[in-house]
Amino acid sequence: MFTKKNMAFAFFLLLFHYNAVCQKLKVGDKSPDFEAIDTNGDTLKLSNYKGQKVMIAFFRYAGCPVCNFRVHDLIENYDSILSKGYKIIAIYESDNVTLKEYLSETKVPFPIIGDPNLKLYKEYGVQKSFWKMLGSAFKKQPMQAMKKGGKLFSKKHKRDGSLSRIPADFLVDENGILTTVHYGNNIGDHLPLIEILK
């Protein structure tokens, strides 16, 4: 018989298990190679970027206003990021069908991959955190991003990802080695673009 105490224990056990299997990467690690289909239907292989620097950005889901704000920030700084030699790959929890609908109102100049089965999230150790998600409500930066990002949508998108997903960003050098690893501390905590543009 399940009591509230047992259910709470099972919930925290599940969280512990998820974080245990999603081991975080660190600077100096080889960036996990992957092959995936992007929203254009093209097959994208990380190994094809050998000899180039890559920024891999993990987001939450297509309807996330904080993510929307970040994507617009990347678009606005896209030419400057390219000038530093970086290509961008964005990954969402949403599927490609939902993402294509999202992209109908937001033209993005870099490939976006839908990963609803969370294969890439697990390979890169991108985690969920109920507490970090909850704590975001008390931080100025993610709340401002949520407000501004929400206004950038012309229509609402259904949530098809986890509310507790925390974003992460990775910079990969020409040899496929991670030079920067940034796991967010809240739902809007991404690698500051100054780290790329400096």
Side-chain angles (χ1 to χ4, degrees), residues 135-147 186:
S136 301
F138 302 98
K139 296 183 182 295
K140 184 178 180 181
Q141 183 269 332
M143 290 300 98
Q144 286 182 336
M146 181 173 288
K147 185 177 180 180
N186 59 66

Side-chain angles (χ1 to χ4, degrees), residues 115-147:
D115 184 29
N117 295 322
L118 308 180
K119 181 176 181 244
L120 303 182
Y121 285 82
K122 291 174 183 175
E123 288 183 1
Y124 279 79
V126 184
Q127 302 179 348
K128 298 178 184 177
S129 173
F130 172 79
W131 300 114
K132 287 181 180 180
M133 182 269 293
L134 190 64
S136 301
F138 302 98
K139 296 183 182 295
K140 184 178 180 181
Q141 183 269 332
M143 290 300 98
Q144 286 182 336
M146 181 173 288
K147 185 177 180 180

Side-chain angles (χ1 to χ4, degrees), residues 63 101 105 153-158:
E101 182 182 346
E105 61 177 278
F153 284 124
S154 63
K155 59 183 177 180
K156 288 187 176 181
H157 297 268
K158 66 177 182 179

Side-chain angles (χ1 to χ4, degrees), residues 55-59 71 74 88-92 108 110-114:
M55 174 185 181
I56 303 174
F58 281 87
F59 293 91
V71 166
L74 290 176
I88 301 173
I89 300 173
I91 301 169
Y92 278 82
V108 179
F110 44 83
I112 292 185
I113 296 169

